[in-house]
Amino acid sequence: MAGFIPAIHVLGWANKKDVDARDKPGHDEGERVCRNASQEHLVVKPPAACLIGWPAAHSRSPLIHHYWLRALGIEGGYSIEAVPPEGFAEFVLHLSAHGFVGANVTIPHKERALALSRPDARARAVGAANTLWYQGGELCSTNTDVEGFVGNLDACAAGWDSATDVLVLGAGGAARAVVFGLIERGVARVHLANRTMARARALADQFGAHVHPVAWEAIDDLLPRAQLLVNTTSLGMHGQPALELDVGLLPSDAVVADLVYVPLQTPLLTAARARGLKTADGLGMLLHQAVRGFELWFGQRPEVTPELRALVEADLTKL
Ligand code: NAP
């Protein structure tokens, strides 16, 4: 790939004299002096990843990744990098030279990230990449919303994937990740209801025979056979209208997932829990989607723990 600069790999730790070099003026805290295979000395910083966005909005990603770095005793970092659209290609194509082993990508860069990297099937299906990493010197990308969605359901409602009929509300970017995850896990029929029917049809055309577009007005007719209901619309989000829907029409063993996480407890989830249904919330998906990036950058698969959840919940309630 044009302009690509490969990552520096730590090939061996330095002797004491080399390590003492850290105390010299101009040497950053946390740097290590190592030798490469030719016995040349290299100054290597602990691995760091970042979130690239514009503007650099407040994000929970640093909180999540620093928690895991601490919990696993890994020396590493995670920062937020404000990169304007006109600087994005240069930044991403020289990510390693900028000091990063990988990155998360957010608005407005996700589609460019896909185009500038080697995307996996998930990123291609969603049409957007949110996670970048190097593999064999090549910049690769994925979309971890897929894994976040299914990982959260696995954690909250094991066995959910025996569902044959799933009702998905919405046909935006998040819906594409959800639909891909459902098909990947073998769901036979995904009924897709969206306010703008043309978007539901377009998504069904993309994903093929498993996806059945339905009119927004047909939701009530479908609820009695929906073993899993997923809200991927922004309805129920703080500042948005509520999602008007009767969870009483769902089967008694249905699972309800809501991607909205502000507020944490949406009216849809409150109603589902009141009926004794299993639920999976948006915060759980947000935490689970971060797992894969961390594993790709820092080499260990982290866990979504109750302690991490409490930490991020506390941050969300500050708003
Ligand atoms: P998007 O691409 O803008 O899509 C928004 C969807 O909501 C569209 O289907 C849209 O329908 C529908 N919608 C908006 N207002 C509506 C209304 N008044 N009535 C009926 N439908 C309405 O957004 P997105 O990226 O898919 O995100 C959707 C939601 O998922 C957001 O709340 C986002 O925060 C959440 N999300 C959460 C996670 C997580 O990790 N928990 C990850 C990704 C997204 P039309 O097509 O008719 O406009």
Side-chain angles (χ1 to χ4, degrees):
M1 187 176 289
F4 171 71
I5 296 179
I8 295 171
H9 299 287
V10 180
L11 296 165
W13 291 108
N15 60 29
K16 182 172 184 312
K17 186 167 152 266
D18 295 329
V19 174
D20 287 345
R22 275 183 290 162
D23 299 332
K24 287 182 182 162
H27 213 94
D28 284 357
E29 201 182 324
E31 285 181 350
R32 294 287 180 271
V33 183
C34 306
R35 288 181 213 276
N36 66 10
S38 314
Q39 296 302 301
E40 295 161 337
H41 290 171
L42 294 173
V43 177
V44 181
K45 290 185 178 185
C50 64
L51 171 68
I52 311 169
W54 184 261
H58 178 70
S59 160
R60 278 97 209 165
S61 294
L63 192 63
I64 297 169
H65 291 293
H66 285 143
Y67 168 83
W68 282 330
L69 286 168
R70 253 194 333 273
L72 293 166
I74 296 172
E75 202 180 353
Y78 188 99
S79 58
I80 294 185
E81 300 293 320
V83 179
E86 60 274 19
F88 183 70
E90 186 283 332
F91 192 89
V92 157
L93 294 173
H94 301 89
L95 195 59
S96 174
H98 284 286
F100 299 107
V101 294
N104 283 133
V105 179
T106 188
I107 293 166
H109 300 313
K110 290 188 197 180
E111 286 80 15
R112 287 295 303 291
L114 183 85
L116 292 168
S117 58
R118 182 162 67 83
D120 68 2
R122 291 174 173 185
R124 279 199 308 275
V126 177
N130 69 356
T131 301
L132 300 167
W133 78 100
Y134 288 103
Q135 192 173 311
E138 190 176 9
L139 189 66
C140 301
S141 65
T142 187
N143 190 303
T144 60
D145 280 344
V146 178
E147 181 164 331
F149 171 67
V150 296
N152 187 38
L153 271 177
D154 285 340
C156 298
W160 67 270
D161 52 352
S162 62
T164 51
D165 285 88
V166 175
L167 175 57
V168 175
L169 310 179
R176 284 205 291 273
V178 164
V179 169
F180 186 81
L182 292 172
I183 294 173
E184 205 179 40
R185 287 292 287 269
V187 169
R189 281 178 296 277
V190 178
H191 307 278
L192 189 74
N194 193 47
R195 176 180 60 176
T196 310
M197 184 69 177
R199 285 185 92 188
R201 282 204 198 94
L203 205 143
D205 286 347
Q206 180 192 345
F207 285 98
H210 292 291
V211 182
H212 306 269
V214 291
W216 190 253
E217 295 71 32
I219 289 175
D220 279 1
D221 300 335
L222 281 157
L223 285 172
R225 64 176 143 129
Q227 293 144 318
L228 170 63
L229 169 70
V230 188
N231 176 38
T232 79
T233 74
S234 43
L235 290 173
M237 198 169 136
H238 188 70
Q240 297 289 319
L243 173 60
E244 306 286 351
L245 180 147
D246 182 4
V247 292
L249 294 173
L250 285 164
S252 57
D253 59 350
V255 176
V256 175
D258 198 341
L259 268 58
V260 171
Y261 58 89
V262 181
L264 278 173
Q265 176 94 349
T266 62
L268 173 65
L269 293 176
T270 305
R273 283 174 193 147
R275 229 204 108 186
L277 303 179
K278 282 188 184 161
T279 59
D281 70 9
L283 177 57
M285 173 169 165
L286 184 76
L287 299 175
H288 280 275
Q289 70 77 30
V291 168
R292 177 114 172 99
F294 188 95
E295 184 182 25
L296 288 164
W297 308 320
F298 301 114
Q300 286 191 56
R301 191 166 176 84
E303 269 182 52
V304 175
T305 61
E307 189 189 13
L308 172 62
R309 199 185 148 94
L311 198 67
V312 180
E313 267 190 38
D315 189 65
L316 282 169
T317 50
K318 269 193 231 153
L319 292 175

